[in-house]
Amino acid sequence: MKQLRWIWALGIAAVVLIGIFIIVDINSDKKDKARHIGDGKQLLQFDESKATGVTLINEEGTFSFEWDAENSRWVQTGGDEIHVNSYAIGAIVSYACHLESLKTVAFDSSSKDVYGFSDPVEIRIFTTETGDKHPYQIFVGNNTPTYDAYYAMIGGSDDIYTIDYNSGSVFCASKNALKNAYLFDTTAAQVQYIRIEKAGAHPVEIQRDSERAWQIIRPEGFNPAKAYVDDLADEIVHLTVDSFVAENPTDLAQYGLDKPQAKVWLKGMENGTPIEEELWFGKPVSDHENETNLYGMFTSTNQVFSISRSQASFTNTTVADLIMPFCVETSIDDVDSVTIDMGKVYDLKATLTVDNANTKYQFNGTDISGLYDENLNKLFVNLYRGISNLNFTEINLDDKPDPNAEPLITIEYNFKDHTKKKLTFTEKSANTYWLFIDGKYSNMTVRLNEFTKSLTPSYETLIQALKDKGIEPIQDDEEPAETEKAEEEAAAETEAAAETEASSETE
């Protein structure tokens, strides 16, 4: 009986202890939850790829954007027209789709003004899941006093949270941050047309043909160097403005845009969509002698911007920057012979006969390749290159030289297809010559030092190398002199015979 009482006593004690433990545990759990009730949590979670629209409302206005799935970009559907920075809109969606709080600072707060929610930035994000009437909503208030976070609220709740500073900064994007800073936002391969008009210079206009090859439209008569034009296009698509200055200005003169120093027209494609832009460039941003920026304007949106002089330097492009630097472009494999006569300005007259495929070369009647001397072959090729790679000095589109003036230098190419090309150089001024190609002014001028850089030294070197081998190459002017003498003698004989015949008839 006594044992039973002890067992009952122990049982009752155990029950009491268990009850006390449960009560203590419950209270502890409540305290723990209370301690963590303000911890960070997931505020929004959705599939970024399902976003269809974004609306941003801030003190500068309301801006709406829709996702263009066909061209993989955000396009503007509402608000003041801007060049849309698609990456900025994408960043808003990206930060919102997995938004977490740092902590909860107030539950069901009725004093929202303290946190900057009297006039908050509002983000609305529409998705295929929420439709057009129930977007995800984010309200962003002030910075925290320590400037390491922003206060935020989520649509449908009066709780106030803090979110990380980066997310808050993205959501609080200014109007300028929503603008595309690129002058022409596409790739170089998708640029199709460039036209540059610079005050005091001739316009340059280039475009791709049906085969996507670049052609120079203005000025006429030039063949573009693909690499040079590709470089220009690549430069343009990487240029960005430094800052946005004004919209829809009423006084263009204050920016020097009433009379732009340069205008640029661009056309191309962006992910299959035609795009075009007209840019104007005005005066320097200040009168300071070391000012590095000038004003520009997107005419499609009347947006004035500031851009560095170095970035705007592409407006100085001339046709000379887009073509090969040679007087003519030839291939040694297409040439049968080339004759050069500098007799009016330099003691050089030579004929080079070329069979490059078989390494057979003749110089003024001397069979260079037949001498089996690799150095002579090399010197011959150097001379040929000195002639064929002759550079022009300047492009002078306004000059009107006399096509009948006597040439001081002549170069004539004979090609394997039996065509010819004749270059004649007439005097413009001392040591400067206008270049005519087949009798037509090429719009190029050439200084004498272009000849003396490599052409005449190559000639002298080859002549000396031949002399060192005991060979006196036949001068190109010797044969014509003998021919001329023979022709004169033949003509004299013919005339004498005619006189004798006439005398006989008279008798």
Side-chain angles (χ1 to χ4, degrees):
M1 196 69 182
K2 190 175 181 179
Q3 288 181 334
L4 287 173
R5 286 199 296 269
W6 275 107
I7 291 172
W8 277 103
L10 290 172
I12 292 169
V15 170
V16 172
L17 289 172
I18 290 172
I20 293 172
F21 176 78
I22 290 173
I23 293 171
V24 171
D25 186 60
I26 289 173
N27 289 332
S28 177
D29 188 52
K30 286 182 178 179
K31 290 180 180 179
D32 188 59
K33 287 182 178 180
R35 283 197 301 269
H36 294 285
I37 194 169
D39 287 357
K41 64 180 181 179
Q42 194 79 46
L43 300 180
L44 293 180
Q45 183 72 47
F46 60 89
D47 187 345
E48 181 178 357
S49 66
K50 294 183 178 179
T52 59
V54 174
T55 295
L56 171 65
I57 304 172
N58 60 26
E59 61 183 6
E60 295 177 285
T62 299
F63 304 91
S64 299
F65 309 91
E66 285 186 359
W67 178 246
D68 181 356
E70 183 178 352
N71 297 303
S72 299
R73 63 175 182 170
W74 289 97
V75 295
Q76 187 177 10
T77 57
D80 295 339
E81 186 179 1
I82 60 175
H83 281 287
V84 179
N85 181 353
S86 191
Y87 303 105
I89 312 305
I92 291 174
V93 176
S94 181
Y95 274 84
C97 71
H98 51 76
L99 182 64
E100 296 179 351
S101 66
L102 298 177
K103 66 178 181 179
T104 303
V105 296
F107 295 95
D108 296 324
S109 176
S110 59
S111 57
K112 300 182 179 65
D113 293 355
V114 176
Y115 303 99
F117 291 105
S118 58
D119 188 20
V121 171
E122 181 182 351
I123 306 291
R124 299 174 187 170
I125 300 178
F126 303 85
T127 69
T128 55
E129 295 175 340
T130 60
D132 296 336
K133 298 187 182 299
H134 302 286
Y136 293 104
Q137 285 181 288
I138 305 170
F139 301 92
V140 183
N142 296 334
N143 292 295
T144 59
T146 55
Y147 288 91
D148 59 352
Y150 279 86
Y151 296 113
M153 297 179 68
I154 300 300
S157 170
D158 286 329
D159 294 345
I160 298 176
Y161 310 94
T162 53
I163 59 175
D164 68 276
Y165 191 86
N166 286 340
S167 296
S169 297
V170 170
F171 298 148
C172 293
S174 66
K175 184 178 180 179
N176 283 343
L178 300 176
K179 296 175 182 177
N180 195 333
Y182 284 98
L183 292 189
F184 201 56
D185 191 11
T186 185
T187 63
Q190 295 187 89
V191 177
Q192 297 180 334
Y193 175 90
I194 302 171
R195 178 180 170 187
I196 300 173
E197 290 187 2
K198 181 82 171 181
H202 286 268
V204 173
E205 185 176 7
I206 53 178
Q207 70 178 18
R208 295 186 190 271
D209 61 19
S210 58
E211 302 297 323
R212 290 191 50 77
W214 286 110
Q215 301 296 332
I216 296 178
I217 308 303
R218 290 196 299 171
E220 297 179 351
F222 295 94
N223 295 318
K226 179 181 182 300
Y228 297 167
V229 183
D230 285 345
D231 285 346
L232 174 62
D234 187 65
E235 178 185 3
I236 289 173
V237 300
H238 284 93
L239 299 177
T240 58
V241 306
D242 276 7
S243 63
F244 295 100
V245 177
E247 295 177 343
N248 302 310
T250 56
D251 180 14
L252 291 178
Q254 65 176 311
Y255 307 109
L257 294 168
D258 56 328
K259 297 178 181 178
Q261 62 167 295
K263 293 183 178 182
V264 178
W265 289 262
L266 302 168
K267 296 179 183 179
M269 303 290 289
E270 182 186 7
N271 297 321
T273 301
I275 58 173
E276 57 183 273
E277 189 57 78
E278 180 179 344
L279 304 165
W280 292 1
F281 295 88
K283 68 180 184 180
V285 170
S286 74
D287 295 330
H288 195 281
E289 61 180 358
N290 295 322
E291 177 59 62
T292 60
N293 278 42
L294 51 81
Y295 290 115
M297 185 170 75
F298 294 103
T299 61
S300 59
T301 56
N302 290 325
Q303 172 68 64
V304 178
F305 57 82
S306 168
I307 188 170
S308 67
R309 289 178 182 271
S310 60
Q311 295 227 65
S313 63
F314 79 96
T315 59
N316 296 322
T317 300
T318 68
V319 69
D321 301 312
L322 303 176
I323 63 177
M324 296 299 287
F326 311 125
C327 293
V328 293
E329 293 184 58
T330 62
S331 170
I332 191 171
D333 294 323
D334 298 331
V335 174
D336 185 52
S337 67
V338 57
T339 298
I340 178 170
D341 185 355
M342 295 181 63
K344 300 289 185 181
V345 296
Y346 193 88
D347 185 18
L348 190 161
K349 187 173 184 181
T351 297
L352 289 73
T353 303
V354 183
D355 182 359
N356 195 56
N358 298 302
T359 319
K360 292 184 177 180
Y361 309 127
Q362 286 190 0
F363 171 72
N364 284 352
T366 298
D367 185 2
I368 299 295
S369 51
L371 299 175
Y372 305 102
D373 187 324
E374 286 301 320
N375 183 55
L376 287 176
N377 286 346
K378 179 180 178 180
L379 295 178
F380 176 93
V381 172
N382 286 346
L383 175 57
Y384 171 81
R385 288 175 177 167
I387 300 171
S388 63
N389 292 347
L390 180 67
N391 288 1
F392 66 85
T393 305
E394 291 181 345
I395 299 293
N396 295 95
L397 299 171
D398 296 322
D399 287 359
K400 306 268 183 209
D402 180 5
N404 298 315
E406 181 183 8
L408 302 184
I409 302 172
T410 302
I411 300 174
E412 185 168 359
Y413 288 91
N414 295 289
F415 297 99
K416 295 188 185 301
D417 63 359
H418 306 296
T419 60
K420 296 184 177 183
K421 188 179 292 291
K422 189 173 184 178
L423 283 64
T424 51
F425 301 81
T426 64
E427 186 173 30
K428 176 180 180 178
S429 60
N431 298 331
T432 301
Y433 314 104
W434 285 298
L435 169 60
F436 288 80
I437 298 178
D438 293 330
K440 182 179 179 181
Y441 176 47
S442 67
N443 294 311
M444 299 177 183
T445 57
V446 185
R447 287 189 58 81
L448 180 61
N449 59 9
E450 299 292 349
F451 292 87
T452 57
K453 283 178 183 176
S454 63
L455 196 163
T456 56
S458 296
Y459 172 81
E460 299 293 349
T461 302
L462 178 57
I463 290 290
Q464 187 58 51
L466 289 169
K467 289 181 178 180
D468 291 344
K469 293 183 73 73
I471 299 171
E472 289 288 342
I474 300 172
Q475 292 298 309
D476 200 51
D477 60 352
E478 292 178 5
E479 289 184 358
E482 293 175 357
T483 302
E484 184 179 352
K485 181 179 179 181
E487 289 176 349
E488 290 176 352
E489 291 176 349
E493 291 177 359
T494 301
E495 183 177 325
E499 290 177 354
T500 301
E501 182 177 355
S503 177
S504 300
E505 289 177 356
T506 301
E507 292 177 354

